Structures are given as C-alpha cells and as structure tokens.
C-alpha cells in the first residue's frame, strides 16, 4: 500500500474529547472518527485490524463446531415481549416504529431472535447440539458512552449461542467455548485473566468474563494468588468473617454537625473512623424508594442490590424526593426512624455503635446499633469487594487490578427456551426445552483494549497478529530518485514475499514519516537513506527497539521475515 493513497488522517494534537489512551491514539493515528456519541466510523487501518481479530475469532468458533449466520438487526417487539425483556431492557434499547406504528428494536443482543429461529426448524434431539454464531453490529443506548470504542452505542460483537439437549451437553458446549476464548486471547497476544461473573449470586448459573489487563480498564477485578479464584469486584462474593470481640452497646446520642455531610467530613469533624460510620443511599427500585446501607468506606454494588430487590430498574433518587419523604437531604440520612425499607450490607450487621445521619439536616446519631435502633428489611451482600477481602475459596487476602471486559460466556439454561417455547423431542419422544448458552466477544472493544495494553509515548504498538501492516518502508528523501528506486524495488520484493507492506512515498520530511510510522504502530520500519545506496545497507528497526540494525540490502526480505517469525513466537 502506498502511504500517499492510504486514507489515514493523522493528528498531531491530542483530541480534547478523548480521555483514555486508546481513544486518543485511535483518533490521532487515523483509525477511527466519531459520527456521534458512541458511534464511530472505522477507517482503512482500523478495518484491517478488525478483520484480523474477526478472522482469529472465526477460526476458533469454527474449530469449536460453530456455524456462522447473520441475524437481523431490526427485531420485532413481539419477540422481546414474549421473553419478557421488552420492559426489562429499559432505556438501553434503541426502539423504533415502522410506518404501521409497530414497535421494533435495534438488536442489543440476539437471544430472542435466535431462539425463535431454532425453535421453528429444530424439533429433534438428533439435530442437537447446535452452535450458531455471527459477527455484527450491536446497538445499546448506553447511559455513558465513553472511552471511544470501549463503550460504544453501536459496536461490533461476536455472539455465539449453543443449544443442547441437557445440562451435560451445555457443560460440553460451555467448556468448548471457554477453551476457544482462551485460544483467541492468547492468539491475539493480549494479557488477560478469566474471572468468575455472578458467581452464585443469582443461583448457580455459570458465567465467566475475559478481562484484558489495563490501567484504564472500567472494571476492577479481584484475584487470589493462593488459588485460581478471580472475579469482577462488582460480582465477587464478599465473605463475612467471624465477628471480632463483642463490643458493648452504648447509648445512642444525637449530635449537632453543622455543614458536615460526607463520611470524610465526619471523620475530620468528630474523628469518627470511616469503619465506624455507615452510608445511606436512596434508590428508586422501579417506583418504590428504598435505602441501601453500607459501611462508610465501602461502595454499594448496584448489581447485587438490584438482584436482592428483584426489581427491573434501579436508579438513584433525586434529593428533592428524598427530602420530602425523609425530612433531610443527602448527607444527613440514616436508617433510624426512616420511613423507607432499608437493606443493609452483611458487614453492617456486625458493626456496633456506629454513626449515621439523623434524618434532620445538620444532625447525626452516634452509637447506633442495628436491631435496637432500627430493623432492616434485609441483610445481604450488597457491597463491592476490595483488595484485602478474604478469598471466598481459600480465605487468603485478595489482590485487585483493573481490566477491560472483552469476552463474556454464560450458561443460560432454559430461561429463553422456556419463555420462547423452544422445545425438542428427546429419545423417548418427550418434549423438553433446549438448554442454552451464550458467548460474546466485543470485537471493536478488543481493538481498543489491545491499544490500551500496548502503546508508548510515540503511539500504538500493535501486537503482531492484529497489526494493520507488518512493515513500513520509509525513504528518507522522497525527492531523491535513487532512494525512491531502491524503496520501490524493496516494496515489490516484499509484496512478492507476501509481506503486508506500506511504502511511505509521500512528499514529507523524514521526521514526519517516522512520527507517523510510530503513531500507527507498524512493528517493523525499514529506512532507506543515503547510506543504503553507498553501502548497500538499510536500517531495520523494530517499533519497540531503541536502535535500528543494519542489514545488507540483498538479504533484507529474508531478515525481515525471520524477525517477524521470531516476534510471532514471543
Ligand atoms: P459491560 O458490562 O461492559 O456493559 P456487558 O456485560 O453488557 O458488558 P455482554 O452483553 O456480555 O456485555 O456483551 C458481550 C461483549 O460485548 C462484552 O464482553 C464486551 O466485550 C462487548 N460490549 C458490551 N457492551 C459494549 C459496548 N457498549 N461497547 C463496546 N463493546 C461492548
Ligand atoms: Mg452492558
């Protein structure tokens, strides 16, 4: 490919809207452009990377017995009503009407469509198991589309659905996918970890997430170095350790705390440690206002809380509504005398003599005790796990790090087949629901994750398996005919050898060309300067190396091929 013809509009400045590295670099290096919030165009370089990711994914899906299909993006509301998800999906679903005023959705996922499809034509155990997959755009009107491709509203996903006759069959399909996903992320040369998702919290449905490790990851994961355990902090089970020494209950007191609203305020004002305070957070669970209570230094886990409540929608209440019902604004709330149902975190049930708001602005209670001073509607695990918590498997202290969820595999069981009536006749002629699993990989998110994990101050450093091109030839002076001639003949030779090559034939200064080559992240750069012609040598430089090596002109292509082979083994 000639750089003069390649559409890769690079930018020198860091675009102000881009907060994370991958977003900045993909914009700067001319890979993507924003159409609107969370919706991007993929330019030629990005397209090449995406195709390589997809081809690795396809290979493994096919190897595991998957068959590729293309399912509709425009999906009728009836199917979603049948599964009960038309309401549950809420605002994240893009909805539209046709000219007859009928409701449709742009597919955020495809369980409804595929279950209906399979139901219509598969009736016997003889045609199962069946593994169908597609690679296609998904549409989700995310609350916070951000970080470029990381959380888009239109994004590319590979989704596979497995249909089996029973749980054992599902186990086999699930493990095939688990293995295939490991091969994929190893093949992509990404550093990742597999973590448990929803481990047990909602009744034993097995689920794993594949997390690419990166400082800017949206997810925090906890993992154990003593055993294999790993989980998303949001989903990790928090263990309640044996209660420490009993503490005597003290008399509750109301104290004047003018202007003190936060946990930190109370620590500074009255030296009450965060572990001796509780946080009271008010939410709308569908229509009803409820209170969630966690220890002062903990974070409420909205997913766990929502599971406990069993509601469809959960969102934070506005201060006006809270004030009207509870008599105080945020910062002065607490469960004592509160007219709402309160749900406390497990850990709070062990706390004694703690402080909380008194439901009166500028007042707090101290020495509050659960049971004596208030009775919660529930005591459950509703906080995020943190480093230092005990491993739920072996009790060793957990560590934490950040990750980007690139893949998610899930045992669905008969949830959708029962709702959509996808049955088959077993060997005895008995009708049974199919047992399903679903398995997703964020293709566009994986591209961003790769950049996030592999870049330096000069730009992207593509992992070899997904680099848009393998080699870039840079003639230092494009006005020098001899240099250009040498560059072109090398380019032709590389093409013959099947190397994916860019020749930077643009009429630009050498500095500009070097900067662009680094920015777009091509693994090998060949520089042809005056010396190449005098001494018949060219500079070959790895994107990650500080210095180039000199290689005789007539063996360059062999040397380049060898270097690429070595790099592919690393
Ligand atoms: P998240 O928790 O990040 O919202 P999810 O659990 O909603 O992800 P799934 O429904 O399991 O995601 O989708 C499968 C895969 O699709 C995810 O593992 C992720 O890689 C990708 N994905 C999900 N949402 C987005 C998005 N908004 N933008 C880009 N990729 C996404
Ligand atoms: Mg999501």
């Amino acid at each position: 490919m000639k750089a003069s013809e390649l559409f890769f509009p690079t930018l020198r400045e860091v675009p102000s809207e881009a907060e994370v590295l991958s977003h900045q670099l993909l914009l700067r290096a001319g890979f993507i452009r924003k159409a609107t919030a969370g919706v991007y165009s993929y330019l030629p370089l990005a397209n090449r990377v995406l195709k390589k990711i997809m081809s690795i994914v396809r290979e493994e899906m096919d190897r595991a017995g998957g068959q590729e299909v293309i399912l509709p993006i425009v999906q009728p509301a009836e199917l979603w009503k049948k599964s009960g998800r038309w309401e549950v999906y809420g605002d994240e679903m893009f909805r539209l009407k046709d000219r007859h005023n009928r409701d449709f959705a742009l597919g955020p996922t495809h369980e409804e469509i595929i279950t209906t499809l399979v139901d219509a034509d598969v009736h016997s155990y003889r045609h199962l198991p069946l593994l169908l997959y597609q690679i296609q755009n998904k549409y989700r009107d995310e609350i916070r589309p951000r970080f470029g491709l990381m959380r888009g509203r239109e994004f590319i996903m590979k989704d596979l659905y497995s249909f089996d006759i029973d749980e054992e069959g599902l186990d086999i399909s699930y493990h095939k996918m688990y293995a295939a996903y490991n091969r994929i992320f190893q093949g992509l040369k990404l550093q990742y970890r597999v973590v448990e998702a929803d481990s047990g919290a909602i009744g034993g449905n097995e689920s794993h997430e594949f997390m690419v490790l990166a400082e800017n990851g949206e997810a925090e994961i906890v993992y154990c170095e003593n055993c294999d355990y790993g989980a998303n902090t949001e989903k990790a089970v928090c263990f309640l350790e044996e209660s420490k020494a009993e503490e005597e209950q003290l008399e509750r007191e109301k104290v004047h705390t003018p202007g003190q609203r936060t946990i930190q305020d109370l620590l500074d004002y009255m030296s009450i440690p965060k572990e001796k305070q509780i946080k009271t957070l008010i939410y709308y669970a569908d229509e009803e206002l409820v209170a969630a209570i966690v220890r002062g230094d903990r974070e409420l886990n909205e997913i766990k809380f929502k599971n406990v409540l069993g509601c469809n929608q959960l969102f934070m209440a506005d201060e006006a509504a809270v004030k009207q019902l509870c008599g105080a604004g945020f910062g002065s709330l607490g469960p004592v005398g509160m007219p709402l149902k309160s749900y406390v975190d497990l850990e709070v049930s062990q706390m004694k003599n703690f402080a909380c708001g008194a439901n009166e602005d500028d007042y707090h209670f101290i020495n509050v005790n659960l049971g004596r001073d208030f009775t919660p509607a529930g005591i459950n695990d509703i906080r995020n796990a943190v480093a230092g918590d005990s491993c739920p498997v072996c009790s060793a202290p957990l560590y934490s790090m950040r990750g980007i969820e690139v893949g998610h595999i899930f045992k669905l069981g008969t949830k959708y087949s029962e709702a959509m009536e996808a049955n088959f006749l077993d060997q005895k002629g008995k009708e049974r629901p199919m047992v399903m699993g679903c398995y997703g990989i964020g293709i566009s998110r994986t591209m961003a994750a790769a950049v996030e994990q592999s870049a330096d101050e000069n730009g992207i450093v593509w992992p070899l398996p997904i680099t848009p091109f393998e080699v870039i030839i840079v003639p230092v002076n494009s006005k020098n005919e001899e240099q250009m001639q040498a560059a072109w003949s090398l380019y032709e030779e590389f093409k013959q050898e099947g190397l994916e090559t860019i020749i930077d034939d643009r009429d630009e200064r050498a500095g500009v060309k070097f900067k662009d080559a680094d920015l777009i992240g091509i693994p090998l750069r060949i520089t042809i300067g005056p010396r190449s012609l005098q001494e018949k040598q060219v500079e070959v430089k790895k994107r990650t190396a500080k210095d180039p090596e000199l290689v005789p002109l007539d063996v360059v292509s062999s040397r380049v091929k060898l270097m690429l082979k070595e790099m592919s083994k690393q």
Side-chain angles (χ1 to χ4, degrees):
M1 183 80 214
K2 297 178 197 167
S4 62
E5 290 172 3
L6 179 64
F7 181 42
F8 71 122
T10 54
L11 309 169
R12 287 286 159 256
E13 301 294 315
V14 177
S16 60
E17 87 246 34
E19 294 164 72
V20 297
L21 192 67
S22 58
H23 190 193
Q24 292 170 356
L25 288 177
L26 288 170
L27 284 169
R28 277 189 56 209
F31 280 66
I32 59 168
R33 286 293 181 263
K34 181 165 105 175
T36 183
V39 180
Y40 289 86
S41 303
Y42 306 107
L43 277 49
L45 289 176
N47 187 40
R48 293 182 71 99
V49 174
L50 289 170
K51 274 179 152 166
K52 288 192 177 178
I53 299 175
M54 291 186 221
S55 123
I56 292 172
V57 169
R58 277 200 176 95
E59 195 179 314
E60 294 303 334
M61 291 299 104
D62 293 344
R63 188 206 299 272
Q67 300 177 57
E68 189 168 0
V69 293
I70 304 176
L71 302 169
I73 289 171
V74 176
Q75 307 184 0
E78 289 80 68
L79 297 186
W80 289 84
K81 287 182 181 156
K82 204 165 172 191
S83 72
R85 286 209 290 183
W86 183 251
E87 270 78 41
V88 181
Y89 230 98
D91 292 338
E92 219 181 84
M93 188 185 254
F94 275 104
R95 294 162 206 257
L96 66 156
K97 285 185 188 291
D98 71 1
R99 64 174 74 209
H100 307 295
N101 212 31
R102 285 190 287 248
D103 288 314
F104 290 84
L106 296 182
T109 177
H110 280 72
E111 283 83 5
E112 280 74 2
I113 286 277
I114 195 131
T115 311
T116 310
L117 177 84
V118 170
D119 169 50
D121 288 291
V122 178
H123 306 296
S124 160
Y125 72 93
R126 273 186 241 108
H127 301 127
L128 297 174
L130 187 59
L131 279 70
L132 299 175
Y133 77 96
Q134 61 169 347
I135 299 181
Q136 190 202 55
N137 279 351
K138 290 278 184 283
Y139 295 84
R140 295 185 186 174
D141 196 358
E142 301 272 0
I143 306 181
R144 273 185 295 276
R146 57 180 183 162
F147 301 162
L149 301 184
M150 216 73 97
R151 186 163 293 284
R153 296 197 297 166
E154 176 184 89
F155 58 96
I156 307 172
M157 196 204 285
K158 181 287 301 178
D159 43 333
L160 182 143
Y161 303 87
S162 66
F163 296 84
D164 277 281
I165 57 168
D166 53 20
E167 288 291 332
E168 288 85 74
L170 172 59
D171 275 349
I172 294 169
S173 296
Y174 190 85
H175 285 104
K176 273 187 188 161
M177 283 300 125
Y178 187 97
Y181 273 42
N182 277 308
R183 295 173 71 104
I184 288 168
F185 294 113
Q186 280 158 17
L188 293 169
K189 296 253 184 282
L190 296 173
Q191 271 185 289
Y192 71 100
R193 249 189 127 95
V194 191
V195 300
E196 273 176 30
D198 273 332
S199 42
I202 53 164
N205 266 355
E206 207 172 349
S207 173
H208 288 92
E209 288 171 342
F210 290 72
M211 296 282 190
V212 165
L213 305 178
E215 273 167 36
N216 280 319
E218 275 192 303
E220 196 176 87
I221 61 174
V222 286
Y223 63 95
C224 180
E225 288 201 336
N226 193 42
C227 69
D228 268 352
Y229 180 77
N232 194 320
T233 12
E234 283 190 337
K235 287 156 188 167
V237 181
C238 296
F239 227 26
L240 190 60
E241 290 190 54
E242 285 295 297
S243 174
K244 316 254 158 56
E246 265 303 302
E247 190 180 319
E248 215 173 292
Q249 293 194 359
L250 302 175
E251 200 166 322
R252 190 177 86 215
E253 279 177 56
K254 188 165 158 183
V255 288
H256 191 210
T257 49
Q260 311 304 314
R261 293 171 60 85
T262 64
I263 301 288
Q264 184 67 41
D265 286 350
L266 222 56
L267 170 65
D268 298 340
Y269 187 71
M270 296 182 67
S271 305
I272 302 177
K274 292 181 178 179
E275 310 84 72
K276 277 283 189 188
Q277 303 185 44
I278 56 164
K279 261 188 216 169
T280 305
L281 304 156
I282 313 293
Y283 278 82
Y284 274 106
D286 297 328
E287 319 282 75
E288 189 190 359
L289 279 174
V290 294
I293 295 170
V294 294
R295 201 172 88 177
D297 56 340
R298 303 302 197 197
E299 298 282 331
L300 175 75
N301 180 321
E302 293 187 3
I303 297 171
K304 289 183 186 175
F305 190 37
K306 198 171 162 203
N307 285 342
V308 165
L309 296 169
C311 59
N312 288 337
Q313 301 266 7
L314 183 75
F315 51 94
M316 281 201 97
D318 51 299
E319 192 158 13
V322 171
K323 196 149 191 169
Q324 201 189 8
L325 250 151
C326 303
F330 295 156
S332 303
L333 299 171
V336 183
M338 178 173 269
L340 308 176
K341 279 190 194 157
S342 59
Y343 293 83
V344 306
D345 180 56
L346 274 181
E347 199 175 39
V348 174
S349 69
Q350 277 187 348
M351 291 168 69
K352 291 270 154 35
N353 301 319
F354 51 85
C356 62
N359 299 319
E360 189 177 332
D361 285 338
D362 296 337
Y363 283 91
H364 279 81
F365 285 126
I366 56 170
N367 299 333
V368 175
N369 286 286
L370 188 148
R372 183 191 71 184
D373 299 317
F374 70 100
T375 309
I379 300 176
N380 303 85
D381 169 19
I382 55 169
R383 73 169 171 96
N384 283 339
V386 289
D389 281 354
S390 303
C391 169
V393 177
C394 72
S395 298
L398 294 174
Y399 292 85
S400 74
M401 71 169 83
R402 302 204 72 82
I404 300 165
E405 181 200 317
V406 286
H408 193 178
I409 60 175
F410 208 97
K411 283 188 182 174
L412 296 170
T414 54
K415 183 173 169 188
Y416 293 95
S417 47
E418 278 181 30
M420 315 295 290
E421 296 161 81
N423 299 321
F424 69 98
L425 292 179
D426 69 11
Q427 259 168 313
K428 293 186 184 125
K430 198 172 150 241
E431 193 167 74
R432 291 193 351 214
M434 298 179 194
V435 184
M436 293 172 58
C438 71
Y439 316 85
I441 292 182
I443 301 286
S444 43
R445 187 185 278 185
T446 296
M447 173 159 82
V451 177
E452 209 58 61
Q453 195 168 73
S454 181
D456 62 18
E457 62 283 3
N458 298 321
I460 304 172
V461 180
W462 286 109
L464 194 57
I466 57 173
T467 184
F469 287 91
E470 294 167 312
V471 198
I472 181 162
I473 300 174
V474 181
V476 173
N477 180 356
S478 45
K479 294 217 171 65
N480 180 308
E481 239 173 71
E482 279 177 301
Q483 277 181 35
M484 286 313 287
Q485 221 165 35
W488 281 116
S489 81
L490 210 54
Y491 177 65
E492 287 306 325
E493 191 184 330
F494 283 8
K495 264 199 344 196
Q496 295 285 321
E497 297 286 348
L499 293 167
E500 298 173 321
T501 313
I502 301 181
I503 177 165
D504 199 342
D505 59 336
R506 296 174 303 169
D507 186 13
E508 292 281 3
R509 281 180 297 115
V512 170
K513 296 187 197 177
F514 291 152
K515 276 212 160 66
D516 279 346
D518 278 354
L519 183 59
I520 64 176
I522 307 304
L524 286 180
R525 188 184 80 199
I526 316 278
T527 308
I528 298 183
R531 193 149 93 199
S532 318
L533 306 168
Q534 283 154 20
E535 296 166 23
K536 298 259 173 276
Q537 282 187 331
V538 296
E539 286 181 2
V540 180
K541 186 183 157 307
K542 279 191 192 167
R543 171 66 180 80
T544 47
K546 239 177 91 211
D547 299 310
E549 55 178 270
L550 288 173
V551 179
L553 199 51
D554 51 357
V555 297
V556 179
S557 72
S558 310
R559 177 75 192 130
V560 162
K561 280 206 295 197
L562 187 67
M563 286 170 90
L564 289 172
K565 200 167 158 194
E566 280 166 2
M567 285 160 81
S568 74
K569 285 194 203 131
Q570 280 160 12

